[in-house]
Amino acid sequence: MDDLVEPEDFYALEAPKHILLGNGFSIASGQGQFSYKLLADMAGGISEKSKDLLSKSCNGDFERAILFLEQAADVAKIYGHKEQAEEYSKESKSLREDLISVVRKVHPKYRSDINESSYEACGKFLKNFSNIFTVNYDLILYWTLLKTGGFSDGFGLDLHSTKYRKFNIGAICNTYYLHGALHLFDENGETIKRKRGSDDLIMDAIENSVESEGRIPMFVAEGEAKKKAEKIRRSPYLSHCLEKLRSIEGVILLYGHSAAANDSHILDSIWGSKVSQIYVSVHEPKENLEYFKESVGKYALIHKKEIGFIDASKLDIWGLSTS
């Protein structure tokens, strides 16, 4: 399966299909502000040293900068430099908090910022899949599924309060936020979802939760896969989501995901699942196909999975193609 697969051939597969969404899903919607580069340009609540690290050494990648600081703190501890270790840990925490703050600033405030035809196109695309897994923290998928219907995130059964709904493991669920999301919060070990009130918007509601109630969105922003996995293990909800990914069978499509080492905990779950075929959407295949053949292909061979690649532009999931 070395050649690019046509979308029609992928859709025609009879096996159950699942999808893993990465940052490219949100960028493809036309809301390009979700690139790490722009988020980094807007970072404000961090030291000048961290800004230099973020922009000059990490090319705007928050996760990579956080990883560097976490590793620097570990090294400083080993060599007995307690003050330096505390400084690096503090900067790492500030970066995570600033990332959440910047996302709220650049995030579209209105669901209507994406046009109806794009929601319809994306909804039609997503209905090809039995389960949706995402590492994105924004509300683009949430808004799309509100328009589409037919999907559930497991927060619909147990009314927690007038503002929040609590995740119920026994509820119908086929949408999983592997790294949390802006509208999800932790409360005493349980995961709750912020609802849009009758007189406010979801972004306004989230801002109220953060600013007035002192809540921080459930958000996995650690730099390296090991630390991400540790945070996931501390959350029953996130652990449940990752376990669901590990339990799937059939076929999975990775869309807008880089398959990088800092998400190896997620990739390992896919390799360890019962899926027989793994497909990867590739942005600009002429430039990037070889990277994915190397990064994904070698593991597919080890784990005896079939691998295929699809030109992301041909999927045109938001219906924005002009061709």
Side-chain angles (χ1 to χ4, degrees):
M1 299 177 68
D2 288 336
D3 296 330
L4 289 170
V5 177
E6 292 298 321
E8 294 76 14
D9 294 329
F10 171 76
Y11 296 140
L13 295 172
E14 295 184 0
K17 300 179 190 69
H18 315 275
I19 190 167
L20 170 66
L21 300 175
N23 194 42
F25 171 78
S26 298
I27 293 174
S29 72
Q31 303 298 325
Q33 60 261 46
F34 292 104
S35 67
Y36 274 132
K37 177 67 168 61
L38 185 56
L39 295 180
D41 290 343
M42 296 189 66
I46 55 178
S47 71
E48 290 301 319
K49 289 181 180 180
S50 288
K51 286 182 180 179
D52 285 343
L53 173 66
L54 186 60
S55 62
K56 296 178 180 179
S57 300
C58 299
N59 196 31
D61 188 332
F62 272 84
E63 288 191 345
R64 189 178 175 195
I66 291 168
L67 170 60
F68 282 171
L69 288 167
E70 290 171 345
Q71 291 175 333
D74 290 340
V75 171
K77 287 178 184 177
I78 291 172
Y79 282 89
H81 302 300
K82 183 179 178 181
E83 290 185 2
Q84 274 190 307
E86 290 177 351
E87 179 185 356
Y88 293 142
S89 295
K90 182 179 178 181
E91 288 296 324
S92 175
K93 181 180 178 181
S94 294
L95 266 178
R96 286 196 295 271
E97 292 175 348
D98 200 57
L99 175 54
I100 293 172
S101 176
V102 171
V103 167
R104 287 170 48 233
K105 291 177 182 176
V106 303
H107 195 289
K109 188 167 185 177
Y110 303 104
R111 188 167 61 181
S112 59
D113 287 341
I114 297 175
N115 63 52
E116 291 295 321
S117 62
S118 288
Y119 281 125
E120 291 174 7
C122 189
K124 181 179 179 181
F125 168 76
L126 291 174
K127 285 183 177 180
N128 287 289
F129 303 96
S130 301
N131 291 290
I132 301 172
F133 300 90
T134 179
V135 296
N136 297 337
Y137 41 77
D138 58 65
L139 298 173
I140 302 300
L141 177 63
Y142 168 81
W143 281 337
T144 302
L145 297 184
L146 281 180
K147 291 283 187 179
T148 303
F151 290 91
S152 174
D153 57 14
F155 288 86
L157 287 180
D158 194 348
L159 186 62
H160 183 68
S161 72
T162 57
K163 294 182 179 180
Y164 299 94
R165 288 189 183 275
K166 183 171 64 175
F167 180 71
N168 188 317
I169 199 168
I172 295 173
C173 183
N174 49 24
T175 305
Y176 302 92
Y177 295 91
L178 296 169
H179 284 171
L182 281 176
H183 61 309
L184 303 183
F185 299 86
D186 177 82
E187 184 172 79
N188 299 321
E190 294 186 305
T191 300
I192 56 177
K193 180 178 79 171
R194 188 61 160 94
K195 295 166 48 183
R196 179 182 67 84
S198 59
D199 59 350
D200 64 4
L201 300 167
I202 184 62
M203 282 303 296
D204 291 336
I206 291 169
E207 289 175 8
N208 178 265
S209 294
V210 174
E211 295 173 357
S212 299
E213 300 176 19
R215 300 183 185 272
I216 297 294
M218 177 182 285
F219 183 67
V220 178
E222 280 69 11
E224 62 180 354
K226 180 181 178 181
K227 291 186 179 295
K228 288 181 179 180
E230 288 173 356
K231 184 165 185 177
I232 288 170
R233 282 195 293 270
R234 292 195 295 270
S235 165
Y237 169 76
L238 296 178
S239 297
H240 173 74
C241 290
L242 195 61
E243 184 58 36
K244 282 294 182 181
L245 178 62
R246 194 176 294 117
S247 71
I248 61 173
E249 55 185 75
V251 177
I252 189 169
L253 171 66
L254 279 60
Y255 183 91
H257 193 279
S258 65
N262 61 0
D263 270 347
S264 63
H265 58 297
I266 288 174
L267 299 175
D268 287 344
S269 295
I270 294 174
W271 303 134
S273 73
K274 295 181 181 180
V275 296
S276 58
Q277 296 171 293
I278 299 169
Y279 289 81
V280 182
S281 74
V282 182
H283 177 64
E284 297 183 353
K286 288 184 178 180
E287 297 181 9
N288 300 311
L289 182 57
E290 290 305 314
Y291 161 78
F292 282 104
K293 283 185 177 180
E294 171 64 21
S295 62
V296 179
K298 61 183 179 182
Y299 292 105
L301 183 63
I302 293 171
H303 294 277
K304 299 179 180 180
K305 310 284 189 184
E306 291 187 57
I307 187 75
F309 303 95
I310 304 175
D311 184 341
S313 67
K314 289 189 175 182
L315 290 170
D316 188 27
I317 69 172
W318 293 99
L320 299 175
S321 176
T322 56
S323 60

